[in-house]
Amino acid sequence: MATRLSIMSFAHLHADFYAGAIAALPDVELAGVWDDNPQRGKDAAAKYGTEFFSTPEELFAPENEIQGTIVTSENVKHKRDVLAACEAGVHILCEKPISTNVVDARVMIAEAERAGVQLMIAFPCRYTAAFGQLLRAVRNGELGEIIAIKGTNRGQNPGGWFDDPSLAGGGSVIDHTVHVVDLMRVLLDQEVIKVYAEIDTAFNPALPCDDAGILTMNFEGGCVATLDASWSRPGNYPIWGDVTMELIGTKGNASVDLFVEHVDTWRSGDGSYLWEPYGDDANAALIAEFAECVATGAPVPITGYDGLKAMEVALGAYRAAETSEPNDLPLP
Amino acid sequence: MLSVAICGAGGLGTRHAQNFRDIPEAQVTLVYDVVEEAAAALAGKVGARVASRESDLFGDEVDVVVVTTPTPQHAYFTIKAAQAGKHVLCEKPMCRTLEQGEEMLEAVRAAGVTFMVGHVVRWFRQYARARDLIQAGEIGEVGVARTSRINTMPSGRGGWFRDYALSGGVTLDMTIHDFDWLLWTFGPAERVYSVGAQRLMPELDYALTTIRFESGAIAHVEGSWADTGAFRTCFDIAGTGGLLRHDSTRMSTLTLQRRAAEEGRVGVQVPSSPAFRSPYMMEDEHFVQCVLTGEEPAISGDEALDAVELALAAMQSNEAAGEVVELS
Ligand SMILES: NC(=O)c1ccc[n+]([C@@H]2O[C@H](COP(=O)([O-])OP(=O)(O)OC[C@H]3O[C@@H](n4cnc5c(N)ncnc54)[C@H](O)[C@@H]3O)[C@@H](O)[C@H]2O)c1
């Protein structure tokens, strides 16, 4: 029997990527959709040839045999949806950031544990071939001790609820810190113990949230790192943004540019210039792994704790920016 | 005809000597170096005499002293030269300490001589062009400016670059180019935070520095003496109205390749961006014009000292591990 997954909310645009990935996987099925915006949910259900349910309880009704669910609601609603899945005994893949505060994240992790369901966090960058190869090189000691990492996760402002701190929990810093911090944690196998940041609303002064952030981090083993978590790419930039890291090691250096693979594309019709990407589909690999864990009971490789530790750095960065002082982690 | 004396016949001394030789209004007459063979070799190349004693630099026949010694000696020679009434072109960084810088400014002011520090990046046209575009408002208000300046660990005669106490490491010696450009473009800095690896000198040095400017702009500045490849720079400057980007590795107008022809000889590929006049030449021509006309150099002593102050603040933040350093 195919593994039966569902999607809770199409608020996040990644929901479409995940639904597409499910459709492409042979042994996985999109068995239902729920959304607190019924029209959006119905449209998605129609598009992906599945059923729309008007409450989480109906979605998780026993006859639907939902085994796992993907939570792609607005950040502040992750907790609500994760707890509903826990209640129903359904495994969860939750979009990043896990939540918008430490208390909610801890509740989500504890509830999943109590319910005996797995809580995985969507960090698809881990599923690129380039990162996998970098990780092997680092673990084999090819770079020696990693002493510094310079990271960027710059993008265009996604707009919509991402600009609303009451739904997103912040702006570009909460949106763009966690992916690269997660990669750094995996590479170093260490936690961030101190974070400093300069954060501002720089590119669109009318926004109610931040759109520029430069973070500086100290890892417990002595490695230092910076991360550009800004929505600094203009609207006519040829791609949504980037995820890059440069590693400086005692024996060598490495750099990754995860989404650089593209064909330069000029369309004379609309005067556009775009990067048409052809690289790995990290989202598909992420969904495949989640479905596999749901089917076999294997432990998910990216846990709620990973989600919490990455989010903590973003929250610490906001505190640091407010006080213009570095902030110690973990947060109390 | 300006008579130019070169003090320090190393890498930069050689470059300036060759430039002044080629500038019609100037002539290199003297070369001084503690290593006499170095002075002799350069003097031979540019048709100058070897100064047998330091004091020759300050003799009547000299108009201009070009200070291209290691950084800690910049103050000593600049002050001596100014007191002797010589115009001074001093390599960057202006000095190793702020006290040295203050004394230098005092000396050149008191003497009324022309004084300029060689912040040559102002003549690198990609940087000048970017600044012009920013000043013209082409990308609106700048939010985040990122710069990178990346090289292998340099040595210098006797390895002085590798001694943090002498060179100040990558931050004072090389990143100062970006600090100067950023201050020139965005105005005064408010605070600075820096992390890095200078503890690993002399093997490598690497620093990542965040600067908040009074204008509100945030800068992220990468300085690396930890690379294995050819020298390179880049910038990425984002504003409310657009983005400026430059990557030196992608701007080669000419690449020459050599096929591995003989046994044991490797093929090479040498990318380059030839220009009719190098930035160093434009800098030296500008200095000559200033000396001849009495006009103020494009880089004031105060600006050069501001760049040193910013670099030293970044180094302080880095050494103290976690200190945000406010600038006056
Ligand atoms: N603008 C640039 O792009 C650039 C590039 C490299 C270096 N620099 C600067 O130029 C200066 C010189 O650097 P370099 O690369 O030529 O170094 P270098 O080591 O090649 O040359 C320094 C020379 O000074 C001589 N010297 C040392 N102490 C002396 C003294 N007390 N009196 C006289 N001579 C003395 C040395 O023998 C050597 O020949 C430094 O301040 C450096 O930071 C600028």
Side-chain angles (χ1 to χ4, degrees):
Chain A
M1 199 190 94
T3 306
R4 295 172 66 78
L5 301 183
S6 66
I7 293 181
M8 299 174 84
S9 177
F10 277 73
H12 199 295
L13 51 112
H14 287 172
D16 270 307
F17 299 161
Y18 301 149
I22 291 171
L25 284 169
D27 302 322
V28 186
E29 190 182 325
L30 184 57
V33 162
W34 166 76
D35 198 316
D36 64 7
N37 177 336
Q39 195 52 52
R40 188 173 59 199
K42 282 176 191 159
D43 291 348
K47 181 169 172 192
Y48 296 106
T50 188
E51 201 175 334
F52 172 77
F53 297 93
S54 44
T55 65
E57 291 71 28
E58 287 171 39
L59 173 70
F60 296 135
E63 64 271 22
N64 292 338
E65 296 180 320
I66 306 284
Q67 298 164 275
T69 193
I70 298 169
V71 171
T72 26
S73 49
E74 299 88 341
N75 298 343
V76 296
K77 298 179 183 170
H78 287 177
K79 179 185 169 195
R80 177 196 69 187
D81 299 345
V82 164
L83 295 193
C86 289
E87 177 90 21
V90 168
H91 300 298
I92 304 142
L93 173 65
C94 179
E95 183 55 53
K96 51 62 44 176
I98 182 171
S99 65
T100 58
N101 64 76
V102 172
V103 174
D104 281 0
R106 289 198 181 124
V107 168
M108 291 156 72
I109 293 166
E111 281 303 305
E113 221 166 73
R114 218 166 53 91
V117 300
Q118 299 215 62
L119 171 60
M120 180 167 170
I121 305 298
F123 287 136
C125 297
R126 286 204 203 183
Y127 291 91
T128 55
F131 180 72
Q133 190 140 330
L134 173 66
L135 183 57
R136 278 191 294 281
V138 168
R139 287 188 176 158
N140 290 340
E142 283 173 45
L143 304 183
E145 184 199 341
I146 307 297
I147 54 180
I149 307 179
K150 181 188 71 160
T152 65
N153 183 7
R154 297 168 292 194
Q156 295 167 325
N157 181 344
W161 63 265
F162 286 90
D163 291 347
D164 181 350
S166 72
L167 290 171
S172 70
V173 168
I174 191 129
D175 188 35
H176 274 192
T177 295
V178 293
H179 281 301
V180 180
V181 168
D182 179 66
L183 298 181
M184 290 175 177
R185 285 180 66 247
V186 174
L187 283 169
L188 297 169
D189 198 17
Q190 289 170 24
E191 299 298 351
V192 177
I193 54 169
K194 192 191 299 213
V195 59
Y196 176 77
E198 291 287 353
I199 297 177
D200 215 332
T201 306
F203 302 109
N204 179 357
L207 284 184
C209 62
D210 52 288
D211 62 7
I214 302 283
L215 284 69
T216 304
M217 295 161 271
N218 293 75
F219 283 83
E220 54 195 333
C223 181
V224 294
T226 61
L227 172 61
D228 188 336
S230 304
W231 289 333
S232 56
R233 304 302 88 179
N236 60 340
Y237 196 68
I239 190 164
W240 58 268
D242 68 7
V243 173
T244 74
M245 278 189 294
E246 310 222 0
L247 280 68
I248 308 295
T250 50
K251 285 198 203 157
N253 305 335
S255 62
V256 284
D257 190 345
L258 294 184
F259 301 102
V260 72
E261 290 170 304
H262 69 275
V263 176
D264 286 312
T265 306
W266 287 264
R267 292 182 174 87
S268 49
D270 61 1
S272 68
Y273 162 62
L274 292 173
W275 287 15
E276 291 295 344
Y278 61 84
D280 295 329
D281 186 348
N283 289 313
L286 172 87
I287 296 300
E289 174 112 38
F290 174 63
E292 177 79 10
C293 292
V294 167
T296 64
V300 294
I302 311 171
T303 63
Y305 183 75
D306 292 326
L308 167 63
K309 296 311 281 182
M311 178 191 65
E312 233 174 29
V313 176
L315 299 179
Y318 281 118
R319 288 194 188 193
E322 254 164 50
T323 56
S324 287
E325 283 294 330
N327 197 92
D328 290 332
L329 295 178
L331 296 175
Chain B
M1 180 69 73
L2 288 178
S3 161
V4 176
I6 304 288
C7 176
L12 265 284
T14 301
R15 200 181 263 271
H16 286 297
Q18 290 169 339
N19 287 348
F20 285 111
R21 177 197 59 195
D22 294 343
I23 294 174
E25 299 90 342
Q27 185 180 14
V28 184
T29 50
L30 271 185
V31 177
Y32 175 69
D33 198 294
V34 277
V35 178
E36 217 183 304
E37 309 83 80
L42 180 55
K45 221 181 271 180
V46 297
R49 275 189 309 112
V50 174
S52 46
R53 286 161 307 153
E54 179 193 303
S55 57
D56 293 354
L57 290 169
F58 316 120
D60 286 342
E61 72 278 25
V62 173
D63 301 310
V64 167
V65 176
V66 178
V67 179
T68 46
T69 59
T71 302
Q73 279 79 48
H74 289 180
Y76 173 82
F77 286 107
T78 298
I79 292 167
K80 278 266 191 169
Q83 285 170 347
K86 312 302 173 197
H87 306 288
V88 178
L89 174 64
C90 176
E91 256 311 326
K92 52 42 61 184
M94 181 176 170
C95 45
R96 184 63 183 80
T97 67
L98 287 182
E99 295 70 40
Q100 286 181 332
E102 300 289 356
E103 286 169 21
M104 291 163 85
L105 287 184
E106 222 163 277
V108 296
R109 268 180 205 139
V113 295
T114 300
F115 171 67
M116 190 173 91
V117 175
H119 280 294
V120 71
V121 166
R122 297 199 187 192
W123 282 274
F124 274 77
R125 284 182 287 188
Q126 63 272 44
Y127 286 89
R129 185 99 177 95
R131 180 176 182 273
D132 286 347
L133 289 165
I134 292 164
Q135 305 272 311
E138 297 283 340
I139 58 164
E141 290 294 318
V142 169
V144 177
R146 297 177 64 88
T147 68
S148 293
R149 193 165 294 272
I150 297 169
N151 207 353
T152 50
M153 174 66 98
S155 177
R157 199 183 303 283
W160 71 272
F161 280 113
R162 296 168 182 238
D163 185 339
Y164 187 76
L166 298 178
S167 72
V170 70
T171 304
L172 182 63
D173 192 77
M174 195 177 71
T175 313
I176 191 136
H177 285 297
D178 295 303
F179 291 150
D180 174 64
W181 183 83
L182 289 163
L183 290 167
W184 185 44
T185 305
F186 299 117
E190 194 174 317
R191 57 179 179 266
V192 56
Y193 191 79
S194 183
V195 291
Q198 90 280 352
R199 71 193 152 89
L200 292 169
M201 285 185 77
E203 267 68 49
L204 58 84
D205 192 12
Y206 185 81
L208 297 169
T209 302
T210 302
I211 304 161
R212 176 68 88 143
F213 289 87
E214 285 174 12
S215 73
I218 301 166
H220 178 278
V221 186
E222 176 186 29
S224 176
W225 278 352
D227 213 49
T228 58
F231 174 70
R232 59 198 160 99
T233 67
C234 61
F235 58 73
D236 180 296
I237 298 153
T240 51
L243 176 67
L244 301 176
R245 190 163 72 179
H246 182 271
D247 178 347
S248 65
T249 64
R250 297 171 51 163
M251 296 297 152
S252 305
T253 50
L254 172 67
T255 299
L256 297 175
Q257 292 191 7
R258 193 180 71 213
R259 206 161 277 113
E262 300 138 40
E263 199 68 34
R265 204 166 146 235
V266 294
V268 290
Q269 174 169 326
V270 185
S272 62
S273 309
F276 292 115
R277 281 154 77 240
S278 80
Y280 294 91
M281 185 52 131
M282 291 191 265
E283 173 187 90
D284 290 342
E285 285 172 343
H286 171 74
F287 180 74
V288 165
Q289 278 314 306
C290 290
V291 170
L292 292 176
T293 62
E295 128 201 3
E296 286 296 321
I299 305 155
S300 73
D302 286 318
E303 288 175 287
L305 191 52
D306 286 345
V308 171
E309 188 188 12
L310 183 52
L312 293 178
M315 290 154 69
Q316 180 187 332
S317 173
N318 200 331
E319 286 163 39
E323 188 189 341
V324 182
V325 180
E326 304 279 339
L327 289 139
S328 44

